[in-house]
Amino acid sequence: AQSVTQLGSHVSVSEGALVLLRCNYSSSVPPYLFWYVQYPNQGLQLLLKYTTGATLVKGINGFEAEFKKSETSFHLTKPSAHMSDAAEYFCAVRALRGGSEKLVFGKGTKLTVNP
Amino acid sequence: EAGVVQSPRYKIIEKKQPVAFWCNPISGHNTLYWYRQNLGQGPELLIRYENEEAVDDSQLPKDRFSAERLKGVDSTLKIQPAELGDSAVYLCASSLEGAVSYEQYFGPGTRLTVT
């Protein structure tokens, strides 16, 4: 079965500091990996995704993630945090079940950015 | 371009009462998803439609939940009767096609409270 584990339900950083949100996955098939962001009272928005090809993936709002097969990780980073980055972030992996594919989400990491 | 529209945004009902949620996906999107997001968790897929056909409803509790997507556009998710454990945010999403490599666009959700 495919699953993701997000390490740390809450992360707090200072404005301008590095953002690092951790995601480890488990998958018996080549993984497709995703990061979504959810602002308060809003739906989820895709930040970036990895399917095949380059292992360093750049997304919106200055975020990037690196697929590391040997470490089964897909950590999300941003060099300099901005107040507007405060939100909840979800890592997701493609799951193949019963001939159908779907996204399986982690429990989320809430990012707080302090002035 | 209008995003995914959901209504109502909030709903409070007593247990054993029925409730319905409505979703209007992005124009031209063939695939529509209903997710449930419990507090402190990531979204979990309830049902996926390709046009009018429900192609994955394996996670839908069919004893009390039902859904329909008439004419392959709008969709309604119903719970009857509601239980206390149904309190959650119900998210609708749509995408051009059903493969997970296609970006899913999420609506703001309906927050259901069952008392």
Side-chain angles (χ1 to χ4, degrees):
Chain A
Q2 293 80 35
S3 65
V4 293
T5 302
Q6 292 185 241
L7 302 176
S9 58
H10 290 82
V11 170
S12 182
V13 301
S14 298
E15 191 173 18
L18 171 72
V19 176
L20 171 61
L21 304 181
R22 301 177 186 273
C23 173
N24 288 90
Y25 70 90
S26 172
S27 180
S28 56
V29 298
Y32 287 6
L33 296 158
F34 307 78
W35 276 100
Y36 279 82
V37 61
Q38 187 176 31
Y39 298 101
N41 297 316
Q42 295 186 28
L44 282 71
Q45 180 184 8
L46 181 65
L47 277 176
L48 49 79
K49 65 181 180 183
Y50 168 79
T51 54
T52 58
T55 56
L56 182 61
V57 181
K58 296 186 183 298
I60 62 172
N61 302 338
F63 285 93
E64 62 182 37
E66 187 171 11
F67 168 62
K68 292 187 177 181
K69 185 177 180 180
S70 61
E71 298 178 8
T72 61
S73 69
F74 191 58
H75 302 331
L76 182 71
T77 60
K78 182 174 181 177
S80 177
H82 192 272
M83 297 295 290
S84 61
D85 294 326
E88 189 150 22
Y89 292 79
F90 293 92
C91 182
V93 66
R94 174 184 65 160
L96 298 174
R97 293 176 182 166
S100 180
E101 64 174 19
K102 63 182 180 182
L103 293 180
V104 172
F105 289 86
K107 294 184 177 182
T109 298
K110 186 173 183 179
L111 176 66
T112 300
V113 182
N114 302 306
Chain B
E1 178 181 85
V4 176
V5 179
Q6 291 188 247
S7 70
R9 291 294 313 275
Y10 304 91
K11 189 75 175 179
I12 301 174
I13 61 171
E14 294 183 347
K15 63 181 180 182
K16 301 184 181 180
Q17 294 301 305
V19 64
F21 315 123
W22 175 80
C23 173
N24 180 243
I26 292 174
S27 177
H29 281 192
N30 293 328
T31 306
L32 184 145
Y33 311 78
W34 283 103
Y35 288 88
R36 177 168 59 189
Q37 185 176 19
N38 293 312
L39 188 65
Q41 304 290 321
E44 294 178 300
L45 181 68
L46 290 174
I47 189 168
R48 174 167 68 96
Y49 281 93
E50 296 286 349
N51 298 305
E52 300 94 348
E53 183 181 0
V55 296
D56 184 356
D57 63 356
S58 57
Q59 297 298 107
L60 189 72
K62 298 181 182 64
D63 57 335
R64 298 184 299 108
F65 286 64
S66 64
E68 61 181 8
R69 189 182 185 197
L70 299 177
K71 300 182 180 179
V73 182
D74 294 1
S75 178
T76 302
L77 178 69
K78 299 179 181 179
I79 308 174
Q80 182 170 11
E83 297 179 352
L84 294 177
D86 296 330
S87 295
V89 176
Y90 291 83
L91 295 165
C92 178
S94 69
S95 62
L96 279 171
E97 302 290 344
V100 297
S101 54
Y102 287 88
E103 180 173 353
Q104 295 183 27
Y105 294 82
F106 285 78
T110 297
R111 182 176 298 274
L112 174 66
T113 302
V114 182
T115 64

